[in-house]
Amino acid sequence: YDLTLITIATENKKTVALTAKLFLTLFLLSLAIACTKKEKKILVFSKTEGYRHTSIEAGIEALKKLGAENGFKVTATEDARYFEEDSLKQYAAVVFLSTSGDILDDLQQADLERFIQAGGGFVGIHESVTSEPDWPWYYKLVGAHFDGHAKVQEATLNIIDKNHPSTSSLEPIWVKTDEWYNFKDIDPDIKVVIEVDEDSYEGGKNGAHHPIS
């Protein structure tokens, strides 16, 4: 099972809690599907070899809080040596939290592929879509390539699929301030649950159907 996700992000700590509600459902869904017999543990990876977002530390604390409240353990690391088969198999899901640049070597990439193919879950948050620029398999997983972003501003989000577990608690329209990513080489097979309305802000490049989650 591949949990494919193009994510929204936040540099504003006041919006961490709102965005976290969306990701909480995705985490729980990923955990449930990945392996019900395992202890529920996720690996949060935040290594950066490019731009580093100041929201990473707040994101780690938010995920640990969600884990404490919802019965799963969180291992947060920037050590790529965790991406070894015997290490990964203890986790139900891997979270790339605003990772950037070339963060895994060839062997670590292969072990992450095996982890996903064996049923492990994956969640990519914000800048994770800029990671591993020369690894085609990864971009099938996350759904697209990064193509720049607009300035931080308010925009309107349209909930495309209200029946999906990650969006069922949201109103059909969600207005929030964020750093809105543009994408290229979007995989046509991804499941889009939220789009951003380009008429509601400046700097969008993906047209009438701009996927954001």
Side-chain angles (χ1 to χ4, degrees):
Y1 178 85
D2 291 351
L3 182 57
T4 302
L5 179 68
I6 297 175
T7 64
I8 55 179
T10 179
E11 286 296 303
N12 184 339
K13 292 183 180 180
K14 292 182 180 179
T15 64
V16 167
L18 290 174
T19 306
K21 291 180 182 179
L22 173 63
F23 290 118
L24 170 59
T25 308
L26 288 169
F27 287 137
L28 297 181
L29 177 64
S30 181
L31 292 171
I33 292 173
C35 185
T36 55
K37 294 182 180 180
K38 289 182 183 177
E39 180 184 25
K40 292 182 179 180
K41 296 171 64 177
I42 64 171
L43 179 65
V44 177
F45 189 52
S46 57
K47 182 179 179 180
T48 54
E49 292 293 345
Y51 184 81
R52 184 175 182 86
H53 280 78
T54 58
S55 59
I56 286 176
E57 285 66 32
I60 291 170
E61 292 307 309
L63 294 176
K64 287 181 176 180
K65 184 174 185 292
L66 290 172
E69 293 172 349
N70 293 277
F72 60 89
K73 294 185 177 180
V74 175
T75 300
T77 186
E78 299 196 359
D79 186 349
R81 289 175 294 181
Y82 274 80
F83 288 83
E84 188 275 333
E85 189 169 6
D86 287 340
S87 173
L88 287 173
K89 67 184 182 182
Q90 66 182 297
Y91 299 101
V94 170
V95 180
F96 275 22
L97 174 60
S98 288
T99 52
S100 65
D102 191 2
I103 51 178
L104 301 177
D105 65 26
D106 290 347
L107 292 176
Q108 292 160 352
Q109 289 178 353
D111 282 347
L112 178 59
E113 286 191 38
R114 281 192 287 271
F115 170 78
I116 298 297
Q117 290 161 357
F122 178 84
V123 175
I125 298 177
H126 196 45
E127 199 181 8
S128 61
V129 79
T130 73
S131 303
E132 298 296 333
D134 300 317
W135 185 15
W137 180 89
Y138 179 75
Y139 279 93
K140 290 288 288 184
L141 180 69
V142 298
H145 283 82
F146 173 70
D147 191 25
H149 61 75
K151 65 181 181 180
V152 175
Q153 60 193 292
E154 184 178 273
T156 298
L157 300 173
N158 296 316
I159 311 306
I160 303 303
D161 184 358
K162 277 286 292 177
N163 295 320
H164 194 273
S166 67
T167 55
S168 60
S169 65
L170 298 175
E171 296 298 323
I173 302 296
W174 183 14
V175 178
K176 71 186 299 286
T177 298
D178 221 315
E179 183 180 71
W180 305 108
Y181 274 18
N182 296 306
F183 303 101
K184 59 184 178 181
D185 303 323
I186 299 173
D187 188 331
D189 295 326
I190 60 173
K191 169 67 174 178
V192 178
V193 296
I194 303 178
E195 294 179 347
V196 60
D197 182 356
E198 291 195 357
D199 290 335
S200 67
Y201 74 105
E202 297 180 354
K205 295 182 179 179
N206 290 121
H209 298 287
H210 184 149
I212 209 71
S213 288

